PDB file of all heavy atoms in Angstrom:
ATOM      1  N   MET A1339       0.938  -2.866 -12.169  1.00  0.00           N
ATOM      2  CA  MET A1339       0.588  -2.288 -10.895  1.00  0.00           C
ATOM      3  C   MET A1339       1.366  -3.028  -9.809  1.00  0.00           C
ATOM      4  O   MET A1339       1.663  -4.206  -9.940  1.00  0.00           O
ATOM      5  CB  MET A1339      -0.934  -2.431 -10.704  1.00  0.00           C
ATOM      6  CG  MET A1339      -1.408  -2.242  -9.291  1.00  0.00           C
ATOM      7  SD  MET A1339      -3.198  -2.118  -9.078  1.00  0.00           S
ATOM      8  CE  MET A1339      -3.760  -3.750  -9.474  1.00  0.00           C
ATOM      9  N   LYS A1340       1.673  -2.337  -8.719  1.00  0.00           N
ATOM     10  CA  LYS A1340       2.366  -2.949  -7.593  1.00  0.00           C
ATOM     11  C   LYS A1340       1.386  -3.159  -6.450  1.00  0.00           C
ATOM     12  O   LYS A1340       0.532  -2.320  -6.184  1.00  0.00           O
ATOM     13  CB  LYS A1340       3.511  -2.070  -7.113  1.00  0.00           C
ATOM     14  CG  LYS A1340       4.675  -2.022  -8.079  1.00  0.00           C
ATOM     15  CD  LYS A1340       5.964  -1.819  -7.321  1.00  0.00           C
ATOM     16  CE  LYS A1340       7.135  -1.805  -8.261  1.00  0.00           C
ATOM     17  NZ  LYS A1340       7.596  -3.115  -8.621  1.00  0.00           N
ATOM     18  N   CYS A1341       1.516  -4.282  -5.770  1.00  0.00           N
ATOM     19  CA  CYS A1341       0.691  -4.568  -4.603  1.00  0.00           C
ATOM     20  C   CYS A1341       1.106  -3.626  -3.476  1.00  0.00           C
ATOM     21  O   CYS A1341       2.293  -3.466  -3.196  1.00  0.00           O
ATOM     22  CB  CYS A1341       0.881  -6.017  -4.172  1.00  0.00           C
ATOM     23  SG  CYS A1341       0.066  -6.424  -2.601  1.00  0.00           S
ATOM     24  N   TRP A1342       0.119  -3.017  -2.816  1.00  0.00           N
ATOM     25  CA  TRP A1342       0.410  -2.099  -1.722  1.00  0.00           C
ATOM     26  C   TRP A1342       0.982  -2.833  -0.515  1.00  0.00           C
ATOM     27  O   TRP A1342       1.679  -2.252   0.301  1.00  0.00           O
ATOM     28  CB  TRP A1342      -0.864  -1.350  -1.293  1.00  0.00           C
ATOM     29  CG  TRP A1342      -1.910  -2.278  -0.741  1.00  0.00           C
ATOM     30  CD1 TRP A1342      -2.909  -2.892  -1.444  1.00  0.00           C
ATOM     31  CD2 TRP A1342      -2.031  -2.735   0.595  1.00  0.00           C
ATOM     32  NE1 TRP A1342      -3.656  -3.701  -0.616  1.00  0.00           N
ATOM     33  CE2 TRP A1342      -3.131  -3.625   0.651  1.00  0.00           C
ATOM     34  CE3 TRP A1342      -1.313  -2.497   1.761  1.00  0.00           C
ATOM     35  CZ2 TRP A1342      -3.524  -4.258   1.818  1.00  0.00           C
ATOM     36  CZ3 TRP A1342      -1.721  -3.132   2.923  1.00  0.00           C
ATOM     37  CH2 TRP A1342      -2.819  -4.001   2.941  1.00  0.00           C
ATOM     38  N   SER A1343       0.710  -4.136  -0.399  1.00  0.00           N
ATOM     39  CA  SER A1343       1.126  -4.892   0.780  1.00  0.00           C
ATOM     40  C   SER A1343       2.531  -5.480   0.650  1.00  0.00           C
ATOM     41  O   SER A1343       3.366  -5.286   1.519  1.00  0.00           O
ATOM     42  CB  SER A1343       0.126  -6.010   1.055  1.00  0.00           C
ATOM     43  OG  SER A1343       0.524  -6.779   2.163  1.00  0.00           O
ATOM     44  N   CYS A1344       2.791  -6.185  -0.446  1.00  0.00           N
ATOM     45  CA  CYS A1344       4.090  -6.863  -0.579  1.00  0.00           C
ATOM     46  C   CYS A1344       5.015  -6.195  -1.590  1.00  0.00           C
ATOM     47  O   CYS A1344       6.188  -6.545  -1.681  1.00  0.00           O
ATOM     48  CB  CYS A1344       3.900  -8.335  -0.932  1.00  0.00           C
ATOM     49  SG  CYS A1344       3.243  -8.636  -2.589  1.00  0.00           S
ATOM     50  N   GLY A1345       4.483  -5.242  -2.374  1.00  0.00           N
ATOM     51  CA  GLY A1345       5.318  -4.505  -3.320  1.00  0.00           C
ATOM     52  C   GLY A1345       5.619  -5.241  -4.612  1.00  0.00           C
ATOM     53  O   GLY A1345       6.364  -4.730  -5.443  1.00  0.00           O
ATOM     54  N   ARG A1346       5.049  -6.406  -4.818  1.00  0.00           N
ATOM     55  CA  ARG A1346       5.314  -7.175  -6.036  1.00  0.00           C
ATOM     56  C   ARG A1346       4.411  -6.715  -7.172  1.00  0.00           C
ATOM     57  O   ARG A1346       3.332  -6.178  -6.952  1.00  0.00           O
ATOM     58  CB  ARG A1346       5.119  -8.656  -5.778  1.00  0.00           C
ATOM     59  CG  ARG A1346       6.136  -9.209  -4.804  1.00  0.00           C
ATOM     60  CD  ARG A1346       5.985 -10.690  -4.686  1.00  0.00           C
ATOM     61  NE  ARG A1346       7.008 -11.238  -3.823  1.00  0.00           N
ATOM     62  CZ  ARG A1346       6.867 -12.361  -3.156  1.00  0.00           C
ATOM     63  NH1 ARG A1346       5.753 -13.069  -3.254  1.00  0.00           N
ATOM     64  NH2 ARG A1346       7.833 -12.815  -2.398  1.00  0.00           N
ATOM     65  N   ASP A1347       4.866  -6.956  -8.392  1.00  0.00           N
ATOM     66  CA  ASP A1347       4.067  -6.619  -9.569  1.00  0.00           C
ATOM     67  C   ASP A1347       2.893  -7.587  -9.696  1.00  0.00           C
ATOM     68  O   ASP A1347       3.057  -8.807  -9.527  1.00  0.00           O
ATOM     69  CB  ASP A1347       4.922  -6.692 -10.842  1.00  0.00           C
ATOM     70  CG  ASP A1347       5.929  -5.562 -10.915  1.00  0.00           C
ATOM     71  OD1 ASP A1347       5.595  -4.451 -10.473  1.00  0.00           O
ATOM     72  OD2 ASP A1347       7.046  -5.804 -11.398  1.00  0.00           O
ATOM     73  N   VAL A1348       1.715  -7.031  -9.968  1.00  0.00           N
ATOM     74  CA  VAL A1348       0.510  -7.829 -10.187  1.00  0.00           C
ATOM     75  C   VAL A1348      -0.225  -7.254 -11.392  1.00  0.00           C
ATOM     76  O   VAL A1348      -0.102  -6.064 -11.684  1.00  0.00           O
ATOM     77  CB  VAL A1348      -0.422  -7.840  -8.949  1.00  0.00           C
ATOM     78  CG1 VAL A1348       0.206  -8.579  -7.791  1.00  0.00           C
ATOM     79  CG2 VAL A1348      -0.791  -6.437  -8.543  1.00  0.00           C
ATOM     80  N   PRO A1349      -0.989  -8.077 -12.107  1.00  0.00           N
ATOM     81  CA  PRO A1349      -1.758  -7.565 -13.253  1.00  0.00           C
ATOM     82  C   PRO A1349      -2.792  -6.534 -12.795  1.00  0.00           C
ATOM     83  O   PRO A1349      -3.342  -6.626 -11.700  1.00  0.00           O
ATOM     84  CB  PRO A1349      -2.442  -8.809 -13.822  1.00  0.00           C
ATOM     85  CG  PRO A1349      -1.696  -9.966 -13.265  1.00  0.00           C
ATOM     86  CD  PRO A1349      -1.118  -9.524 -11.960  1.00  0.00           C
ATOM     87  N   ASP A1350      -3.066  -5.558 -13.643  1.00  0.00           N
ATOM     88  CA  ASP A1350      -4.035  -4.509 -13.321  1.00  0.00           C
ATOM     89  C   ASP A1350      -5.446  -5.054 -13.111  1.00  0.00           C
ATOM     90  O   ASP A1350      -6.242  -4.447 -12.400  1.00  0.00           O
ATOM     91  CB  ASP A1350      -4.076  -3.453 -14.434  1.00  0.00           C
ATOM     92  CG  ASP A1350      -2.813  -2.626 -14.473  1.00  0.00           C
ATOM     93  OD1 ASP A1350      -2.086  -2.583 -13.457  1.00  0.00           O
ATOM     94  OD2 ASP A1350      -2.547  -2.022 -15.521  1.00  0.00           O
ATOM     95  N   SER A1351      -5.767  -6.178 -13.700  1.00  0.00           N
ATOM     96  CA  SER A1351      -7.137  -6.689 -13.691  1.00  0.00           C
ATOM     97  C   SER A1351      -7.502  -7.486 -12.437  1.00  0.00           C
ATOM     98  O   SER A1351      -8.679  -7.782 -12.231  1.00  0.00           O
ATOM     99  CB  SER A1351      -7.365  -7.569 -14.911  1.00  0.00           C
ATOM    100  OG  SER A1351      -6.455  -8.657 -14.881  1.00  0.00           O
ATOM    101  N   VAL A1352      -6.548  -7.830 -11.581  1.00  0.00           N
ATOM    102  CA  VAL A1352      -6.855  -8.689 -10.435  1.00  0.00           C
ATOM    103  C   VAL A1352      -7.349  -7.880  -9.238  1.00  0.00           C
ATOM    104  O   VAL A1352      -7.039  -6.697  -9.100  1.00  0.00           O
ATOM    105  CB  VAL A1352      -5.648  -9.560 -10.024  1.00  0.00           C
ATOM    106  CG1 VAL A1352      -5.239 -10.488 -11.157  1.00  0.00           C
ATOM    107  CG2 VAL A1352      -4.488  -8.716  -9.575  1.00  0.00           C
ATOM    108  N   LYS A1353      -8.132  -8.536  -8.379  1.00  0.00           N
ATOM    109  CA  LYS A1353      -8.668  -7.884  -7.187  1.00  0.00           C
ATOM    110  C   LYS A1353      -7.878  -8.260  -5.934  1.00  0.00           C
ATOM    111  O   LYS A1353      -7.961  -7.583  -4.924  1.00  0.00           O
ATOM    112  CB  LYS A1353     -10.138  -8.234  -6.999  1.00  0.00           C
ATOM    113  CG  LYS A1353     -11.013  -7.705  -8.125  1.00  0.00           C
ATOM    114  CD  LYS A1353     -12.468  -7.799  -7.768  1.00  0.00           C
ATOM    115  CE  LYS A1353     -13.352  -7.376  -8.901  1.00  0.00           C
ATOM    116  NZ  LYS A1353     -13.422  -5.976  -9.134  1.00  0.00           N
ATOM    117  N   PHE A1354      -7.118  -9.385  -5.986  1.00  0.00           N
ATOM    118  CA  PHE A1354      -6.316  -9.837  -4.863  1.00  0.00           C
ATOM    119  C   PHE A1354      -4.918 -10.179  -5.353  1.00  0.00           C
ATOM    120  O   PHE A1354      -4.755 -10.737  -6.440  1.00  0.00           O
ATOM    121  CB  PHE A1354      -6.931 -11.073  -4.196  1.00  0.00           C
ATOM    122  CG  PHE A1354      -8.223 -10.784  -3.498  1.00  0.00           C
ATOM    123  CD1 PHE A1354      -9.426 -10.883  -4.170  1.00  0.00           C
ATOM    124  CD2 PHE A1354      -8.233 -10.395  -2.170  1.00  0.00           C
ATOM    125  CE1 PHE A1354     -10.620 -10.616  -3.540  1.00  0.00           C
ATOM    126  CE2 PHE A1354      -9.421 -10.112  -1.531  1.00  0.00           C
ATOM    127  CZ  PHE A1354     -10.617 -10.219  -2.207  1.00  0.00           C
ATOM    128  N   CYS A1355      -3.921  -9.878  -4.553  1.00  0.00           N
ATOM    129  CA  CYS A1355      -2.530 -10.190  -4.894  1.00  0.00           C
ATOM    130  C   CYS A1355      -2.323 -11.697  -4.808  1.00  0.00           C
ATOM    131  O   CYS A1355      -2.681 -12.323  -3.805  1.00  0.00           O
ATOM    132  CB  CYS A1355      -1.590  -9.473  -3.924  1.00  0.00           C
ATOM    133  SG  CYS A1355       0.148  -9.870  -4.199  1.00  0.00           S
ATOM    134  N   SER A1356      -1.751 -12.282  -5.840  1.00  0.00           N
ATOM    135  CA  SER A1356      -1.517 -13.726  -5.841  1.00  0.00           C
ATOM    136  C   SER A1356      -0.340 -14.108  -4.942  1.00  0.00           C
ATOM    137  O   SER A1356      -0.178 -15.271  -4.598  1.00  0.00           O
ATOM    138  CB  SER A1356      -1.253 -14.217  -7.267  1.00  0.00           C
ATOM    139  OG  SER A1356      -0.120 -13.570  -7.806  1.00  0.00           O
ATOM    140  N   HIS A1357       0.473 -13.134  -4.518  1.00  0.00           N
ATOM    141  CA  HIS A1357       1.631 -13.409  -3.672  1.00  0.00           C
ATOM    142  C   HIS A1357       1.270 -13.380  -2.190  1.00  0.00           C
ATOM    143  O   HIS A1357       1.612 -14.286  -1.443  1.00  0.00           O
ATOM    144  CB  HIS A1357       2.742 -12.404  -3.947  1.00  0.00           C
ATOM    145  CG  HIS A1357       3.153 -12.358  -5.377  1.00  0.00           C
ATOM    146  ND1 HIS A1357       3.903 -13.341  -5.969  1.00  0.00           N
ATOM    147  CD2 HIS A1357       2.894 -11.458  -6.338  1.00  0.00           C
ATOM    148  CE1 HIS A1357       4.098 -13.050  -7.237  1.00  0.00           C
ATOM    149  NE2 HIS A1357       3.486 -11.906  -7.495  1.00  0.00           N
ATOM    150  N   CYS A1358       0.569 -12.311  -1.748  1.00  0.00           N
ATOM    151  CA  CYS A1358       0.280 -12.157  -0.320  1.00  0.00           C
ATOM    152  C   CYS A1358      -1.216 -12.148  -0.011  1.00  0.00           C
ATOM    153  O   CYS A1358      -1.605 -12.030   1.152  1.00  0.00           O
ATOM    154  CB  CYS A1358       0.917 -10.884   0.222  1.00  0.00           C
ATOM    155  SG  CYS A1358       0.127  -9.367  -0.367  1.00  0.00           S
ATOM    156  N   GLU A1359      -2.057 -12.249  -1.041  1.00  0.00           N
ATOM    157  CA  GLU A1359      -3.512 -12.311  -0.918  1.00  0.00           C
ATOM    158  C   GLU A1359      -4.144 -11.018  -0.414  1.00  0.00           C
ATOM    159  O   GLU A1359      -5.287 -10.999   0.003  1.00  0.00           O
ATOM    160  CB  GLU A1359      -3.931 -13.489  -0.033  1.00  0.00           C
ATOM    161  CG  GLU A1359      -3.484 -14.819  -0.592  1.00  0.00           C
ATOM    162  CD  GLU A1359      -3.869 -16.002   0.269  1.00  0.00           C
ATOM    163  OE1 GLU A1359      -4.477 -15.807   1.338  1.00  0.00           O
ATOM    164  OE2 GLU A1359      -3.557 -17.128  -0.121  1.00  0.00           O
ATOM    165  N   ALA A1360      -3.418  -9.911  -0.446  1.00  0.00           N
ATOM    166  CA  ALA A1360      -3.990  -8.625  -0.034  1.00  0.00           C
ATOM    167  C   ALA A1360      -5.022  -8.173  -1.052  1.00  0.00           C
ATOM    168  O   ALA A1360      -4.866  -8.385  -2.259  1.00  0.00           O
ATOM    169  CB  ALA A1360      -2.891  -7.567   0.077  1.00  0.00           C
ATOM    170  N   GLU A1361      -6.084  -7.553  -0.548  1.00  0.00           N
ATOM    171  CA  GLU A1361      -7.084  -6.991  -1.443  1.00  0.00           C
ATOM    172  C   GLU A1361      -6.471  -5.765  -2.109  1.00  0.00           C
ATOM    173  O   GLU A1361      -5.882  -4.914  -1.451  1.00  0.00           O
ATOM    174  CB  GLU A1361      -8.336  -6.595  -0.664  1.00  0.00           C
ATOM    175  CG  GLU A1361      -9.442  -6.109  -1.551  1.00  0.00           C
ATOM    176  CD  GLU A1361     -10.733  -5.829  -0.781  1.00  0.00           C
ATOM    177  OE1 GLU A1361     -10.730  -5.913   0.454  1.00  0.00           O
ATOM    178  OE2 GLU A1361     -11.732  -5.524  -1.450  1.00  0.00           O
ATOM    179  N   LEU A1362      -6.600  -5.699  -3.418  1.00  0.00           N
ATOM    180  CA  LEU A1362      -6.006  -4.604  -4.168  1.00  0.00           C
ATOM    181  C   LEU A1362      -7.040  -3.506  -4.347  1.00  0.00           C
ATOM    182  O   LEU A1362      -7.937  -3.591  -5.179  1.00  0.00           O
ATOM    183  CB  LEU A1362      -5.477  -5.097  -5.517  1.00  0.00           C
ATOM    184  CG  LEU A1362      -4.396  -6.171  -5.390  1.00  0.00           C
ATOM    185  CD1 LEU A1362      -4.035  -6.722  -6.752  1.00  0.00           C
ATOM    186  CD2 LEU A1362      -3.169  -5.602  -4.697  1.00  0.00           C
ATOM    187  N   THR A1363      -6.935  -2.509  -3.531  1.00  0.00           N
ATOM    188  CA  THR A1363      -7.864  -1.383  -3.538  1.00  0.00           C
ATOM    189  C   THR A1363      -7.136  -0.155  -4.036  1.00  0.00           C
ATOM    190  O   THR A1363      -5.915  -0.126  -4.078  1.00  0.00           O
ATOM    191  CB  THR A1363      -8.412  -1.132  -2.123  1.00  0.00           C
ATOM    192  OG1 THR A1363      -7.297  -0.881  -1.253  1.00  0.00           O
ATOM    193  CG2 THR A1363      -9.192  -2.316  -1.609  1.00  0.00           C
ATOM    194  N   PRO A1364      -7.872   0.895  -4.377  1.00  0.00           N
ATOM    195  CA  PRO A1364      -7.200   2.122  -4.796  1.00  0.00           C
ATOM    196  C   PRO A1364      -6.300   2.649  -3.676  1.00  0.00           C
ATOM    197  O   PRO A1364      -6.547   2.404  -2.492  1.00  0.00           O
ATOM    198  CB  PRO A1364      -8.350   3.104  -5.050  1.00  0.00           C
ATOM    199  CG  PRO A1364      -9.561   2.252  -5.230  1.00  0.00           C
ATOM    200  CD  PRO A1364      -9.321   0.997  -4.451  1.00  0.00           C
ATOM    201  N   GLY A1365      -5.269   3.365  -4.047  1.00  0.00           N
ATOM    202  CA  GLY A1365      -4.337   3.925  -3.082  1.00  0.00           C
ATOM    203  C   GLY A1365      -4.988   4.960  -2.183  1.00  0.00           C
ATOM    204  O   GLY A1365      -6.155   5.318  -2.376  1.00  0.00           O
ATOM    205  N   PRO A1366      -4.256   5.445  -1.208  1.00  0.00           N
ATOM    206  CA  PRO A1366      -4.817   6.425  -0.275  1.00  0.00           C
ATOM    207  C   PRO A1366      -5.139   7.746  -0.969  1.00  0.00           C
ATOM    208  O   PRO A1366      -4.491   8.128  -1.941  1.00  0.00           O
ATOM    209  CB  PRO A1366      -3.714   6.603   0.767  1.00  0.00           C
ATOM    210  CG  PRO A1366      -2.463   6.139   0.094  1.00  0.00           C
ATOM    211  CD  PRO A1366      -2.876   5.122  -0.916  1.00  0.00           C
ATOM    212  N   ALA A1367      -6.141   8.432  -0.437  1.00  0.00           N
ATOM    213  CA  ALA A1367      -6.519   9.750  -0.956  1.00  0.00           C
ATOM    214  C   ALA A1367      -5.445  10.765  -0.556  1.00  0.00           C
ATOM    215  O   ALA A1367      -4.657  10.528   0.356  1.00  0.00           O
ATOM    216  CB  ALA A1367      -7.870  10.154  -0.379  1.00  0.00           C
ATOM    217  N   ALA A1368      -5.425  11.892  -1.236  1.00  0.00           N
ATOM    218  CA  ALA A1368      -4.422  12.929  -0.951  1.00  0.00           C
ATOM    219  C   ALA A1368      -4.484  13.383   0.503  1.00  0.00           C
ATOM    220  O   ALA A1368      -3.437  13.596   1.138  1.00  0.00           O
ATOM    221  CB  ALA A1368      -4.627  14.114  -1.896  1.00  0.00           C
ATOM    222  N   ALA A1369      -5.686  13.489   1.068  1.00  0.00           N
ATOM    223  CA  ALA A1369      -5.822  13.908   2.470  1.00  0.00           C
ATOM    224  C   ALA A1369      -5.220  12.869   3.410  1.00  0.00           C
ATOM    225  O   ALA A1369      -4.594  13.224   4.420  1.00  0.00           O
ATOM    226  CB  ALA A1369      -7.291  14.140   2.801  1.00  0.00           C
ATOM    227  N   GLU A1370      -5.390  11.589   3.076  1.00  0.00           N
ATOM    228  CA  GLU A1370      -4.803  10.523   3.900  1.00  0.00           C
ATOM    229  C   GLU A1370      -3.280  10.556   3.821  1.00  0.00           C
ATOM    230  O   GLU A1370      -2.593  10.384   4.826  1.00  0.00           O
ATOM    231  CB  GLU A1370      -5.332   9.166   3.452  1.00  0.00           C
ATOM    232  CG  GLU A1370      -6.809   8.969   3.722  1.00  0.00           C
ATOM    233  CD  GLU A1370      -7.388   7.729   3.067  1.00  0.00           C
ATOM    234  OE1 GLU A1370      -6.965   7.378   1.940  1.00  0.00           O
ATOM    235  OE2 GLU A1370      -8.257   7.110   3.694  1.00  0.00           O
ATOM    236  N   GLU A1371      -2.754  10.778   2.620  1.00  0.00           N
ATOM    237  CA  GLU A1371      -1.299  10.882   2.469  1.00  0.00           C
ATOM    238  C   GLU A1371      -0.748  12.071   3.251  1.00  0.00           C
ATOM    239  O   GLU A1371       0.291  11.975   3.893  1.00  0.00           O
ATOM    240  CB  GLU A1371      -0.926  10.991   0.991  1.00  0.00           C
ATOM    241  CG  GLU A1371      -1.070   9.698   0.233  1.00  0.00           C
ATOM    242  CD  GLU A1371      -0.589   9.802  -1.209  1.00  0.00           C
ATOM    243  OE1 GLU A1371       0.026  10.828  -1.575  1.00  0.00           O
ATOM    244  OE2 GLU A1371      -0.828   8.854  -1.958  1.00  0.00           O
ATOM    245  N   ALA A1372      -1.454  13.198   3.212  1.00  0.00           N
ATOM    246  CA  ALA A1372      -1.022  14.392   3.940  1.00  0.00           C
ATOM    247  C   ALA A1372      -1.045  14.143   5.446  1.00  0.00           C
ATOM    248  O   ALA A1372      -0.133  14.562   6.166  1.00  0.00           O
ATOM    249  CB  ALA A1372      -1.902  15.583   3.580  1.00  0.00           C
ATOM    250  N   ALA A1373      -2.085  13.451   5.936  1.00  0.00           N
ATOM    251  CA  ALA A1373      -2.176  13.152   7.361  1.00  0.00           C
ATOM    252  C   ALA A1373      -1.028  12.237   7.794  1.00  0.00           C
ATOM    253  O   ALA A1373      -0.417  12.451   8.854  1.00  0.00           O
ATOM    254  CB  ALA A1373      -3.517  12.514   7.692  1.00  0.00           C
ATOM    255  N   ALA A1374      -0.721  11.240   6.984  1.00  0.00           N
ATOM    256  CA  ALA A1374       0.379  10.330   7.300  1.00  0.00           C
ATOM    257  C   ALA A1374       1.709  11.069   7.283  1.00  0.00           C
ATOM    258  O   ALA A1374       2.549  10.880   8.173  1.00  0.00           O
ATOM    259  CB  ALA A1374       0.404   9.164   6.323  1.00  0.00           C
ATOM    260  N   ALA A1375       1.914  11.942   6.299  1.00  0.00           N
ATOM    261  CA  ALA A1375       3.153  12.716   6.221  1.00  0.00           C
ATOM    262  C   ALA A1375       3.295  13.627   7.445  1.00  0.00           C
ATOM    263  O   ALA A1375       4.389  13.774   8.000  1.00  0.00           O
ATOM    264  CB  ALA A1375       3.186  13.535   4.932  1.00  0.00           C
ATOM    265  N   GLY A1376       2.180  14.214   7.884  1.00  0.00           N
ATOM    266  CA  GLY A1376       2.210  15.066   9.070  1.00  0.00           C
ATOM    267  C   GLY A1376       2.572  14.286  10.314  1.00  0.00           C
ATOM    268  O   GLY A1376       3.358  14.758  11.142  1.00  0.00           O
ATOM    269  N   ALA A1377       2.000  13.089  10.459  1.00  0.00           N
ATOM    270  CA  ALA A1377       2.306  12.257  11.624  1.00  0.00           C
ATOM    271  C   ALA A1377       3.773  11.834  11.613  1.00  0.00           C
ATOM    272  O   ALA A1377       4.445  11.855  12.652  1.00  0.00           O
ATOM    273  CB  ALA A1377       1.402  11.029  11.635  1.00  0.00           C
ATOM    274  N   LEU A1378       4.292  11.475  10.440  1.00  0.00           N
ATOM    275  CA  LEU A1378       5.694  11.070  10.345  1.00  0.00           C
ATOM    276  C   LEU A1378       6.643  12.230  10.654  1.00  0.00           C
ATOM    277  O   LEU A1378       7.658  12.051  11.328  1.00  0.00           O
ATOM    278  CB  LEU A1378       5.995  10.501   8.954  1.00  0.00           C
ATOM    279  CG  LEU A1378       5.416   9.132   8.667  1.00  0.00           C
ATOM    280  CD1 LEU A1378       5.593   8.772   7.198  1.00  0.00           C
ATOM    281  CD2 LEU A1378       6.056   8.073   9.556  1.00  0.00           C
ATOM    282  N   SER A1379       6.302  13.421  10.178  1.00  0.00           N
ATOM    283  CA  SER A1379       7.186  14.559  10.421  1.00  0.00           C
ATOM    284  C   SER A1379       7.182  14.986  11.890  1.00  0.00           C
ATOM    285  O   SER A1379       8.130  15.594  12.367  1.00  0.00           O
ATOM    286  CB  SER A1379       6.817  15.739   9.524  1.00  0.00           C
ATOM    287  OG  SER A1379       5.544  16.241   9.862  1.00  0.00           O
ATOM    288  N   ALA A1380       6.108  14.644  12.623  1.00  0.00           N
ATOM    289  CA  ALA A1380       6.026  14.994  14.040  1.00  0.00           C
ATOM    290  C   ALA A1380       6.793  14.000  14.924  1.00  0.00           C
ATOM    291  O   ALA A1380       7.042  14.281  16.088  1.00  0.00           O
ATOM    292  CB  ALA A1380       4.562  15.056  14.479  1.00  0.00           C
ATOM    293  N   MET A1381       7.169  12.853  14.368  1.00  0.00           N
ATOM    294  CA  MET A1381       7.914  11.844  15.133  1.00  0.00           C
ATOM    295  C   MET A1381       9.360  12.253  15.285  1.00  0.00           C
ATOM    296  O   MET A1381       9.939  12.881  14.400  1.00  0.00           O
ATOM    297  CB  MET A1381       7.893  10.492  14.408  1.00  0.00           C
ATOM    298  CG  MET A1381       6.596   9.815  14.405  1.00  0.00           C
ATOM    299  SD  MET A1381       6.778   8.242  13.515  1.00  0.00           S
ATOM    300  CE  MET A1381       5.075   7.755  13.450  1.00  0.00           C
ATOM    301  N   GLY A1382       9.939  11.844  16.383  1.00  0.00           N
ATOM    302  CA  GLY A1382      11.376  12.014  16.554  1.00  0.00           C
ATOM    303  C   GLY A1382      12.122  11.084  15.628  1.00  0.00           C
ATOM    304  O   GLY A1382      11.560  10.072  15.164  1.00  0.00           O
ATOM    305  N   PRO A1383      13.369  11.357  15.323  1.00  0.00           N
ATOM    306  CA  PRO A1383      14.127  10.513  14.383  1.00  0.00           C
ATOM    307  C   PRO A1383      14.267   9.064  14.846  1.00  0.00           C
ATOM    308  O   PRO A1383      14.237   8.153  14.027  1.00  0.00           O
ATOM    309  CB  PRO A1383      15.493  11.187  14.267  1.00  0.00           C
ATOM    310  CG  PRO A1383      15.492  12.322  15.217  1.00  0.00           C
ATOM    311  CD  PRO A1383      14.136  12.496  15.787  1.00  0.00           C
ATOM    312  N   ASP A1384      14.391   8.836  16.151  1.00  0.00           N
ATOM    313  CA  ASP A1384      14.531   7.460  16.643  1.00  0.00           C
ATOM    314  C   ASP A1384      13.263   6.653  16.390  1.00  0.00           C
ATOM    315  O   ASP A1384      13.321   5.505  15.937  1.00  0.00           O
ATOM    316  CB  ASP A1384      14.855   7.447  18.141  1.00  0.00           C
ATOM    317  CG  ASP A1384      16.246   7.979  18.445  1.00  0.00           C
ATOM    318  OD1 ASP A1384      17.066   8.050  17.509  1.00  0.00           O
ATOM    319  OD2 ASP A1384      16.503   8.313  19.609  1.00  0.00           O
ATOM    320  N   VAL A1385      12.111   7.264  16.663  1.00  0.00           N
ATOM    321  CA  VAL A1385      10.835   6.577  16.460  1.00  0.00           C
ATOM    322  C   VAL A1385      10.609   6.332  14.972  1.00  0.00           C
ATOM    323  O   VAL A1385      10.195   5.241  14.564  1.00  0.00           O
ATOM    324  CB  VAL A1385       9.671   7.389  17.064  1.00  0.00           C
ATOM    325  CG1 VAL A1385       8.333   6.759  16.735  1.00  0.00           C
ATOM    326  CG2 VAL A1385       9.844   7.517  18.571  1.00  0.00           C
ATOM    327  N   ALA A1386      10.892   7.336  14.149  1.00  0.00           N
ATOM    328  CA  ALA A1386      10.714   7.190  12.706  1.00  0.00           C
ATOM    329  C   ALA A1386      11.625   6.077  12.161  1.00  0.00           C
ATOM    330  O   ALA A1386      11.202   5.285  11.311  1.00  0.00           O
ATOM    331  CB  ALA A1386      10.997   8.506  11.994  1.00  0.00           C
TER     332      ALA A1386
END
């Protein structure tokens, strides 16, 4: 599994990343991903 915060590989069984100490929670829900994609697509290229 990859840490959502630092992108490093971490064992599936851990609750916190040993590299950056981020809490390892499930990824975003499909609705959250869609909302983020919508916000990004509404940004101008310079802001993005």
Side-chain angles (χ1 to χ4, degrees):
M1339 164 170 68
K1340 289 211 179 278
C1341 172
W1342 64 269
S1343 178
C1344 69
R1346 294 186 176 154
D1347 289 324
V1348 292
D1350 290 340
S1351 60
V1352 299
K1353 295 192 184 285
F1354 292 90
C1355 176
S1356 60
H1357 304 286
C1358 71
E1359 299 179 359
E1361 184 175 6
L1362 300 174
T1363 58
E1370 293 170 324
E1371 286 185 10
L1378 288 171
S1379 66
M1381 290 180 188
D1384 291 343
V1385 174

